Amino acid sequence: MSPDSWPSWVWDLGRRRTAAVLRDTSGNAVVHRDGDLAVTTGGEAYRLPSGTRLPATRFTGGGTALAFSPDGGYLAVGEGSGRVVLWDGRLKRRLGVLADPETTTYQYVSALAFAPDARTLAVAGDEGTLQLWDVDSRRRVGSPLPTPGDTVQALTFGPDGSTLRAAGRHAPPQTYRIGSADAADTVCRRAGGGLTPEEWSRYLPDVPYRRTCPG
């Protein structure tokens, strides 16, 4: 066994017993939703439950963080450069890269999580950044979410995708409300309410007035 490798155990939570032992792994592992494939941040891929390592040609890239989408269709691989590489869930094709073209200095990706519908990916950086990405368009969704600046080590979406939880090394867990209704409420609260009829007439004279914020 290499000094930089160690075994990893895959647990069957339903039966509360070890389902497989992965030999000579070099990093953290994630398991496909079907339970028949495991991938590590060291770039290894294993067939489960046998623990047989797949050929390196199937998947050669490791990373700093990994996440399978809930439907098993994607594997996201965070890199030390701050990029995220998207693979299909069976590691046969590299689908694209999520990267901010305006960024010149990068943080390594410390945590990843897909929304329940697999359309949104949350990406955390080691200096406390937290950004949502649209998976299909490979574009950022809005501005970065505010964080305490701590390294985010774990991310998870709520069951309906309207909330995101982030846990850091030192700061307490944070909850973000990211549903469309919550976003509208936040904008209205920060703006102190919507436009008055007079303001609407001044800025949007050709559009019929309607109230944009409650109250």
Side-chain angles (χ1 to χ4, degrees), residues 22-48:
L22 311 181
R23 304 292 180 184
D24 298 333
T25 61
S26 56
N28 297 324
V30 292
V31 178
H32 192 276
R33 61 162 289 175
D34 293 340
D36 59 353
L37 176 65
V39 181
T40 76
T41 51
E44 302 105 355
Y46 297 85
R47 181 69 62 203
L48 300 178

Side-chain angles (χ1 to χ4, degrees), residues 119-139:
R119 297 176 61 183
T120 304
L121 179 69
V123 180
D126 70 300
E127 294 181 9
T129 59
L130 181 54
Q131 177 69 56
L132 300 179
W133 289 80
D134 180 78
V135 175
D136 289 337
S137 67
R138 317 285 196 263
R139 295 179 180 274

Side-chain angles (χ1 to χ4, degrees), residues 64-165:
T64 56
L66 301 170
F68 277 112
S69 60
D71 62 1
Y74 296 105
L75 172 68
V77 182
E79 298 184 340
S81 65
R83 305 188 318 163
V84 177
V85 180
L86 289 177
W87 290 75
D88 80 285
R90 288 298 169 183
L91 314 181
K92 295 180 180 179
R93 289 188 303 126
R94 177 170 149 156
L95 303 177
V97 176
L98 306 183
D100 185 353
E102 300 176 359
T103 300
T104 56
T105 59
Y106 295 100
Q107 308 171 41
Y108 75 80
V109 177
S110 60
L112 296 165
F114 281 94
D117 62 4
R119 297 176 61 183
T120 304
L121 179 69
V123 180
D126 70 300
E127 294 181 9
T129 59
L130 181 54
Q131 177 69 56
L132 300 179
W133 289 80
D134 180 78
V135 175
D136 289 337
S137 67
R138 317 285 196 263
R139 295 179 180 274
R140 291 180 298 175
V141 179
S143 301
L145 299 174
T147 73
D150 190 23
T151 299
V152 177
Q153 296 183 309
L155 292 168
T156 184
F157 281 87
D160 63 356
S162 65
T163 58
L164 174 67
R165 296 271 291 174

